[in-house]
């Protein structure tokens, strides 16, 4: 990187840190983006002189609200609700809702920021947003979840709409929560529109949306391997998490002949050296989606070890798929992965690897499918759900899976276009950052100061 570019990144990041004090995750996401985008802009004069870096790192607006709900004991509880509408430059605001006790403004701002460029990469007309609440769904009854979702929507509904902002799921928000949220929106607005994605199939949902993020992450890894004339068959894979993304990444790995050997949750990980089979995964789906149990129960059920409080990255593997939460692989863990022979990482989770881990992957020149690229399949099929809702029709599972594969291949191609180095190594993170940036930048330049 030229010295003056390094200097401008330093100055820019000082301003970002000053304006977004104590928002560590947001600063981290912007820093990673600036590292790739600034050098590219310095070589592309058409993108200079519009102050795009400042415009792209300040959300359009943030809505923060109180959510009061009644628990099963008749007590009133209060949580903080949020919606960060980061950019609608290339389409309506679009992105998930996260219900987790650690949700705060920094986490939602980083997620909304990344969503803008991820959505741009899909090639579909979607802006970027994220929202949620510091609400802990663990241990809550269905009635409590329903009342929380209804109360959350009582405020959110006035800020969203099928052409304004279309939320979906994320951590702690799955089919059950989307159903309660959609039901309340429908009731308040007296409209039946595609205002949320991830809906049930009987009320406007799309086939393949449940599977899309996990399947897409595996498709992206296969695209990266194919580019190196390799295949995923027979590869030993680590998966973290045991929620929506982890389960369907594991399912696709099994279907395509790989051998997933770990799953985790916030209590620790299980290691099944014989490989997680479709039958065992069916048991995990029931455990997590119906009984809402802990992954440690897998160890008792199938006679394998559970490692309480640990993450799976010390298990030798060929490929790793972080699918739980942000910053779940640090620099030391990345070193361990590589020492043990890992040749690729694809992130189902947003910001699964921290900045040190990314530096380790880049130095070792292993395949690194960054989240903006590798987990874009979920929001892409959300985009297709919106299209189906607008047309008032639905496509078949086969068609949608085909579309998902094509979209992931398109993202891979854009990453190769912008991330290839002279020796043939592809820096997928750089490629994703630049390709995602370019489309949004073109729109902002065209709009002038109205965006
Ligand atoms: P789920 O709520 O279905 O599952 C989350 C999983 O991650 C659970 O196993 C959970 O364990 C674990 N987890 C959550 N927080 C922590 C934590 N702080 N420490 C350790 N483990 C944790 O969420 P999803 O599967 O939908 O989301 C997983 C990741 O994928 C997130 O990063 C999300 O942003 C990303 N993603 C999701 C998409 C989607 O379509 N759903 C699309 C693109 C990205 P526990 O139950 O113990 O909390
Ligand atoms: O991080 C993500 O891309 C999601 N949680 C999915 C968002 C969506 O609108 O489907």
């Amino acid at each position: 990187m030229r010295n003056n570019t390094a200097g401008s990144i330093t100055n820019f990041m000082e301003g970002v840190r000053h304006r977004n004090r104590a928002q560590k995750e947001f600063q981290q996401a912007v820093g990673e983006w600036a590292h790739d985008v600034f050098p590219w802009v310095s070589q592309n004069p058409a993108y200079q002189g519009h102050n795009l870096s400042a415009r792209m790192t300040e959300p359009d607006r943030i809505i923060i609200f109180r959510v009061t709900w009644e628990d099963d004991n008749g007590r009133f509880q209060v949580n903080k609700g949020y919606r960060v509408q980061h950019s609608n430059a290339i389409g309506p605001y679009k992105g998930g809702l996260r219900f987790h006790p650690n949700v705060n403004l920094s986490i939602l701002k980083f997620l909304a920021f990344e969503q803008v460029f991820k959505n741009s990469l899909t090639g579909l007309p979607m802006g970027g947003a994220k929202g949620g609440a510091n609400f802990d769904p663990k241990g809550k009854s269905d009635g409590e979840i329903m009342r929380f979702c209804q109360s959350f929507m009582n405020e959110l509904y006035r800020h969203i709409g099928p052409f304004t902002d279309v939320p979906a799921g994320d951590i702690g928000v799955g089919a059950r929560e989307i159903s309660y949220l959609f039901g309340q929106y429908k009731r308040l607005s007296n409209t039946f529109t595609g205002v949320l994605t991830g809906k049930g199939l009987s009320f406007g949902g799309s086939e393949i949306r449940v599977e899309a993020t996990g399947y897409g992450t595996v498709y992206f890894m296969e695209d990266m391997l194919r580019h190196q004339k390799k295949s995923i068959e027979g590869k030993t894979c680590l998966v973290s998490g045991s929620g929506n993304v982890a389960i369907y990444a594991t399912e696709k790995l099994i279907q395509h002949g790989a051998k997933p050997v770990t799953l985790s949750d916030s209590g620790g990980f299980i290691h099944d050296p014989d490989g997680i089979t479709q039958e065992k995964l069916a048991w995990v789906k029931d455990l997590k989606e119906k009984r809402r149990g802990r992954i440690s129960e897998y160890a008792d059920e199938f006679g394998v070890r559970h490692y309480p409080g640990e993450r799976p990255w010390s298990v030798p593997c060929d490929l790793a798929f972080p699918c739980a939460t942000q910053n779940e692989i640090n620099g030391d863990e990345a070193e361990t992965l590589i020492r043990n022979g890992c040749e690729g990482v694809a992130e189902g989770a947003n910001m699964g690897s921290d900045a040190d881990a990314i530096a380790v992957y880049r130095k070792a020149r292993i395949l690194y499918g960054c989240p903006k690229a590798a987990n874009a399949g979920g929001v892409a099929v959300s985009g297709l759900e919106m299209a189906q809702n607008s047309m008032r029709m639905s496509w078949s599972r086969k068609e949608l899976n085909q579309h998902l594969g094509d979209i992931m291949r398109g993202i891979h191609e854009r990453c190769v276009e912008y991330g290839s180095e002279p020796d043939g190594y592809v820096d997928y993170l750089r490629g994703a950052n630049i390709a995602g940036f370019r489309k949004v930048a073109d729109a902002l330049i065209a709009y002038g100061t109205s965006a």
Side-chain angles (χ1 to χ4, degrees):
M1 194 192 306
R2 291 211 312 264
N3 276 347
N4 57 354
T5 309
S8 37
I9 294 177
T10 306
N11 285 344
F12 167 71
M13 285 309 299
E14 261 172 34
V16 168
R17 278 190 285 273
H18 180 73
R19 289 190 297 278
N20 303 278
R21 259 167 267 180
Q23 295 180 354
K24 291 270 175 276
E25 292 84 0
F26 181 67
Q27 294 171 10
Q28 181 183 339
V30 174
E32 176 220 276
W33 172 88
H35 172 276
D36 293 330
V37 168
F38 273 54
W40 186 84
V41 169
S42 77
Q43 287 162 12
N44 289 274
Y47 294 88
Q48 294 165 13
H50 301 280
N51 205 2
L52 293 170
S53 53
R55 291 161 73 187
M56 287 187 180
T57 50
E58 202 58 60
D60 286 354
R61 74 184 63 75
I62 299 175
I63 299 131
I64 304 183
F65 49 99
R66 187 188 66 247
V67 185
T68 309
W69 56 281
E70 191 180 351
D71 70 18
D72 285 346
N73 298 317
R75 279 195 294 262
F76 287 180
Q77 303 283 352
V78 175
N79 287 93
K80 243 180 185 354
Y82 304 84
R83 187 71 177 164
V84 180
Q85 296 180 331
H86 195 95
S87 166
N88 65 356
I90 61 167
Y93 300 110
K94 180 84 196 88
L97 297 171
R98 177 177 292 192
F99 293 167
H100 192 276
N102 76 5
V103 159
N104 60 33
L105 201 49
S106 173
I107 288 177
L108 295 181
K109 279 175 66 181
F110 112 66
L111 287 162
F113 174 73
E114 298 235 318
Q115 197 82 47
V116 173
F117 305 102
K118 182 199 304 191
N119 293 2
S120 161
L121 266 181
T122 65
L124 299 172
M126 299 182 288
K130 202 84 184 191
N134 64 345
F135 170 75
D136 188 358
K138 279 199 197 80
K140 303 287 190 297
S141 69
D142 277 352
E144 289 176 324
I145 298 284
M146 181 178 73
R147 290 192 295 281
F148 180 81
C149 288
Q150 290 173 342
S151 184
F152 184 84
M153 188 52 85
N154 283 347
E155 175 59 35
L156 187 69
Y157 95 99
R158 58 185 114 248
H159 307 290
I160 62 175
F163 300 105
T164 306
D165 183 354
V166 182
D170 194 80
I171 292 175
V173 178
R176 174 181 60 167
E177 292 74 19
I178 292 292
S179 305
Y180 292 143
L181 290 162
F182 182 73
Q184 188 70 354
Y185 182 89
K186 185 176 67 56
R187 180 181 178 195
L188 290 168
S189 64
N190 193 27
T191 57
F192 191 107
T193 62
V195 69
L196 290 160
T197 59
K199 299 185 291 298
L201 292 179
S202 65
F203 49 93
S206 174
E207 292 281 4
I208 294 287
R209 176 61 190 90
V210 176
E211 298 89 343
T213 311
Y215 280 14
T217 302
V218 174
Y219 293 160
F220 194 81
M221 177 61 91
E222 292 186 288
D223 291 332
M224 294 195 296
L225 288 166
R226 202 173 297 118
H227 194 69
Q228 295 194 334
K229 309 211 175 343
K230 294 179 183 164
S231 126
I232 207 162
E233 232 182 298
K235 302 276 189 200
T236 297
C237 302
L238 307 184
V239 179
S240 69
S242 49
N244 170 262
V245 179
I247 285 175
Y248 291 99
T250 303
E251 178 164 287
K252 190 49 71 181
L253 288 172
I254 298 167
Q255 287 172 0
H256 286 194
K259 187 179 172 192
V261 295
T262 63
L263 285 169
S264 72
D265 59 23
S266 53
F269 79 92
I270 58 97
H271 179 205
D272 186 340
D274 293 338
I276 298 162
T277 58
Q278 194 64 41
E279 292 70 35
K280 291 173 180 172
L281 190 66
W283 183 90
V284 174
K285 278 187 199 174
D286 188 70
L287 172 79
K288 287 290 174 180
E289 291 169 5
K290 299 218 175 75
R291 291 189 281 131
R292 300 187 187 272
R294 311 303 300 154
I295 202 64
S296 57
E297 296 172 45
Y298 183 107
D300 303 332
E301 179 73 16
F302 299 110
V304 303
R305 264 193 80 178
H306 176 251
Y307 296 79
E310 287 185 43
R311 303 195 279 221
W313 315 123
S314 58
V315 175
C317 70
D318 301 308
L319 302 171
F321 296 86
C323 294
T325 191
Q326 63 277 353
N327 291 328
E328 50 167 332
I329 304 185
N330 62 30
D332 290 342
E333 289 164 318
E335 298 274 13
T336 304
L337 280 171
I338 287 162
R339 215 177 21 252
N340 285 338
C342 178
E343 51 189 291
V345 177
E347 301 200 354
N350 287 303
M351 209 156 83
S353 299
D354 75 8
D356 293 342
I358 293 172
V360 171
Y361 306 147
R362 277 178 155 151
K363 185 151 171 260
R365 291 172 106 62
I366 65 162
L367 296 174
Y368 173 50
C370 64
K372 285 185 195 93
N375 74 37
V379 75
V381 175
S382 277
L384 302 180
E385 183 171 331
M386 290 164 72
Q388 293 169 83
N389 291 164
S390 295
M391 291 189 296
R392 300 182 190 287
M393 58 178 286
S394 45
W395 299 326
S396 71
R397 205 177 153 76
K398 196 165 162 226
E399 280 173 293
L400 283 153
N401 195 33
Q402 179 73 39
H403 279 310
L404 172 61
D406 291 346
I407 290 170
M408 297 314 292
R409 243 185 320 280
I411 295 172
H412 182 268
E413 280 164 19
R414 283 187 273 284
C415 291
V416 170
E417 185 185 346
Y418 288 96
S420 288
E421 299 191 353
D423 65 357
Y425 171 73
V426 182
D427 187 329
Y428 285 94
L429 174 55
R430 185 155 54 84
N433 275 333
I434 298 169
F437 163 85
R438 193 171 176 173
K439 186 174 171 190
V440 180
D442 287 339
L444 290 187
I445 292 168
Y447 294 141
T449 51
S450 42

